[in-house]
Amino acid sequence: SIILVAVGASAYHPSSRRAFFGKAAVTMAGVASGAPLLAVEAIDACPKGSNNCIVTEWTPPEGTSKGDAAQVVLDVLNSYPQDGFDKVDKGGWTIVSNELGGASGAAAIEYKSGIGNFAKFLNGGKPFVDDLKLEMAANGVVKVRSSSRIGDSDLGVNQKRLSFLATGLRAKGWVVPEPKY
């Protein structure tokens, strides 16, 4: 979903009508003041108590341009093995969209895991699909959401994947917290 925010305001996903209309009033005040608007694709929060979704943030070294930050993130994403890591994502992965260095700053990656008997019995023989959504701000900071499409638990799959990516980014000087559900 696309929402409009005044420059300087943060992307926001309202949890109630009151929160929505309160934020709308602030946004309209920004419009009335003449502040330019930007389209922002908001990263959704994980459902409360979720065991298959992680939202986090990756911060590049000070002074890194958005273009350079986008290239580092893409390099780290591409370093993830197509045949999986630590017994997850054995079905490979695909970059569905990549505008990290562009105006939207968004990217989406699909990971397939749970091939074999596990998927055969629990998912009709189809691999489980997880989504990694990234949103890069002008300063190179990346908001991240990794989540499973179905189920209540992912058996640690999203955490393992994000840990691999975090290690790659930290090696390049980024500040990346340990992923936690």
Side-chain angles (χ1 to χ4, degrees):
S1 60
I2 303 283
I3 59 175
L4 295 176
V5 295
V7 171
S10 62
Y12 180 75
H13 191 270
S15 57
S16 69
R17 273 188 273 197
R18 177 175 285 162
F20 171 79
F21 287 114
K23 185 65 175 181
V26 170
T27 301
M28 292 311 295
V31 170
S33 71
L37 293 177
L38 295 174
V40 177
E41 203 171 309
I43 295 284
D44 292 332
C46 293
K48 188 171 182 139
S50 172
N51 291 316
N52 68 354
C53 179
I54 298 172
V55 172
T56 189
E57 190 171 275
W58 300 337
T59 306
E62 183 94 19
T64 303
S65 71
K66 181 177 180 179
D68 289 344
Q71 187 58 55
V72 168
V73 170
L74 190 58
D75 290 345
V76 170
L77 288 171
N78 283 318
S79 74
Y80 193 82
Q82 272 293 335
D83 58 352
F85 166 76
D86 199 15
K87 300 180 184 176
V88 301
D89 301 327
K90 293 183 176 187
W93 54 271
T94 304
I95 296 177
V96 177
S97 65
N98 178 15
E99 285 289 322
L100 281 176
S104 74
I109 300 91
E110 287 181 352
Y111 294 86
K112 294 181 181 172
S113 59
I115 58 175
N117 286 334
F118 194 66
K120 186 176 185 181
F121 296 123
L122 296 176
N123 200 34
K126 299 177 199 139
F128 294 100
V129 179
D130 294 343
D131 296 298
L132 178 64
K133 295 189 179 191
L134 307 174
E135 196 174 281
M136 183 173 286
N139 63 0
V141 172
V142 182
K143 295 206 183 288
V144 179
R145 184 178 198 265
S146 186
S147 62
S148 301
R149 288 187 183 172
I150 63 170
D152 295 327
S153 176
D154 66 3
L155 305 174
V157 170
N158 284 292
Q159 191 172 36
K160 288 177 182 179
R161 180 183 313 117
L162 287 179
S163 290
F164 178 95
L165 299 173
T167 298
L169 289 169
R170 282 190 207 108
K172 297 179 182 295
W174 287 55
V175 175
V176 181
E178 277 303 315
K180 294 183 179 162
Y181 292 98

